[in-house]
Amino acid sequence: MTPTRVPLFDLRPAAAALEGELLERWRRLLTATSFVGGDEVAAFEEGWARFLGAPASVGVANGTDALVLALRALGVRPGDEVVVPAFTFFATAEAVAWAGATPVCADVDAATLQIDPADAAARVGRRTVGLIAVHLYGQPCALDAIAELCDRRGLWLVEDAAQAHGATFDGRRVGTFGRLAGWSFYPSKNLGCFGDGGAVTGADAGALARVRLLANHGRLEQYTHGALGTNSRLDALQAAVLNLRLAGLEAANERRRAIAARYLEALAGVGDLRFVATHPQGVGVYHQMTVRTAARDPLRRHLGEQGIGTAVFYPLPLHRQPAFADRRVPSLPVAEAAAGEVLCLPIYPQLADDAVDRVCAAVRAFYGD
């Protein structure tokens, strides 16, 4: 008998649970033909800001736009440099380039794989204007040390919180520490819609107002435009999904933490497996359950043969991406080592305990345990 497949991620149970109420909300929007802006978008922006403890939230079309608009709102210009972690999704550096500046990669901490504050400090030069701190895998980065660095060197801080919906540092939600923060609501995120969506939050209310202006063609009033903006708006159909899913985010994150604890206990001391650490002052939300092993590729093949889904986030650090091949970048050894070792195991709120146990058994079998 073929064993039941364990996918890396499965959105179907969450979609099924929301179907009745969501269809009713969508039916109201269809009847009113209200698809851009409106009550659902306003309710989500208010609810998301309230959940985070942020001054405000601006809904945008996607997470990449959130970062680009945040950078433009902070006045990034050609010739500026922005420090970014080398080990993260491509959009972090891509946004810097689209905003007209140059991304400068810093290495990451060997335990947490978050940006290394000491290495970041060494990358700050006379053209550096700011730093983007990524909360990778849903774990908060060292915001105390990063904020201190930015204050000391006169830099602004932007948080890339695309994977960290609900995570906290020192008891405070991430996405409220930097002047601005970018969020993605891609379907696989802890708080995801059923298409694309994003938002910008942060501590700088004035910059948030400029994000809103830039996201709507720089419009001051009908057909009067005070800035060169773009068209990046969260649509009402996706806002309706987010309003429903936000109500269950805390419970979903608690379930993710429970699954992670089960993995941590069952796989402790197995082979050469190492877990990505959480900062002592942080509470993560386990967007991904990530392990490290020198036998990453053979282990992944073994799990695939057992019907167990895995992923590699990410196989290339930013400074080794072909898009940046024209830039001379020194070796960043921690990021490069991580890219060859990380493996993400199945984790999502509806994943059953027996499925987690099956993954753990398959991993132990690979190591002969």
Side-chain angles (χ1 to χ4, degrees):
M1 179 182 294
T2 303
T4 303
R5 181 173 174 270
V6 181
L8 175 72
F9 174 75
D10 189 356
L11 189 58
R12 289 172 297 178
L18 295 178
E19 182 176 356
E21 190 173 357
L22 179 59
L23 289 177
E24 179 56 36
R25 288 191 179 217
W26 279 357
R27 193 172 293 111
R28 290 200 297 268
L29 291 171
L30 291 169
T31 300
T33 62
S34 176
F35 306 121
V36 178
D39 292 344
E40 289 284 2
V41 174
F44 176 70
E45 289 181 336
E46 180 181 343
W48 185 230
R50 184 169 57 250
F51 175 84
L52 296 173
S57 170
V58 179
V60 298
N62 55 69
T64 304
D65 280 4
L67 291 175
V68 174
L69 288 163
L71 294 170
R72 289 193 59 198
L74 292 172
V76 168
R77 298 173 300 177
D80 290 344
E81 294 182 350
V82 178
V83 178
V84 301
F87 193 66
T88 183
F89 181 54
F90 183 68
T92 307
E94 182 184 33
V96 175
W98 271 115
T102 300
V104 176
C105 292
D107 213 345
V108 293
D109 178 80
T112 64
L113 300 187
Q114 311 287 348
I115 191 168
D116 180 346
D119 196 75
R123 310 292 167 184
V124 176
R126 62 183 180 85
R127 294 182 176 179
T128 309
V129 296
L131 182 149
I132 299 181
V134 179
H135 304 300
L136 188 70
Y137 300 143
Q139 309 302 320
C141 69
L143 280 164
D144 52 352
I146 292 298
E148 189 277 330
L149 166 62
C150 290
D151 289 344
R152 175 164 42 88
R153 302 299 292 270
L155 310 175
W156 47 252
L157 170 63
V158 166
E159 296 172 74
D160 181 340
Q163 301 180 3
H165 310 75
T168 63
F169 186 88
D170 201 20
R172 178 175 156 192
R173 302 276 191 201
V174 304
T176 63
F177 287 80
R179 285 186 63 186
L180 293 172
W183 300 90
S184 168
F185 303 123
Y186 188 76
S188 62
K189 305 299 186 185
N190 292 42
L191 178 62
C193 52
F194 294 163
D196 249 325
V200 181
T201 61
D204 188 332
L208 282 171
R210 184 154 178 82
V211 168
R212 188 177 296 280
L213 177 77
L214 293 172
N216 191 25
H217 298 292
R219 189 169 71 180
L220 301 174
E221 56 185 71
Q222 188 76 346
Y223 304 123
T224 302
H225 304 266
L228 291 175
T230 188
N231 178 11
S232 182
R233 295 175 293 218
L234 177 66
D235 73 66
L237 294 171
Q238 299 305 331
V241 179
L242 293 169
N243 281 322
L244 290 175
R245 298 199 76 190
L246 178 57
L249 179 59
E250 288 274 54
N253 284 341
E254 282 297 327
R255 175 59 186 160
R256 285 176 179 269
R257 283 189 279 265
I259 293 170
R262 199 172 187 93
Y263 275 124
L264 290 166
E265 181 179 3
L267 297 179
V270 173
D272 69 338
L273 284 182
R274 290 164 289 157
F275 295 98
V276 175
T278 301
H279 191 284
Q281 292 169 255
V283 177
V285 292
Y286 289 95
H287 174 61
Q288 299 294 341
M289 184 67 214
T290 308
V291 296
R292 297 182 65 178
T293 171
R296 191 265 307 284
D297 294 338
L299 174 59
R300 190 180 188 200
R301 284 194 295 272
H302 168 79
L303 294 177
E305 291 165 359
Q306 305 299 312
I308 295 169
T310 60
V312 176
F313 301 128
Y314 298 95
L316 275 180
L318 293 183
H319 66 293
R320 294 293 182 244
Q321 289 288 348
F324 298 133
D326 60 332
R327 303 174 188 178
R328 288 187 175 183
V329 180
S331 175
L332 299 175
V334 181
E336 290 161 16
E341 294 181 344
V342 293
L343 184 67
C344 298
L345 303 177
I347 189 166
Y348 53 94
Q350 296 80 18
L351 187 64
D353 285 349
D354 59 353
V356 178
D357 294 343
R358 189 178 147 222
V359 176
C360 293
V363 172
R364 290 195 301 267
F366 172 80
Y367 287 102
D369 187 342

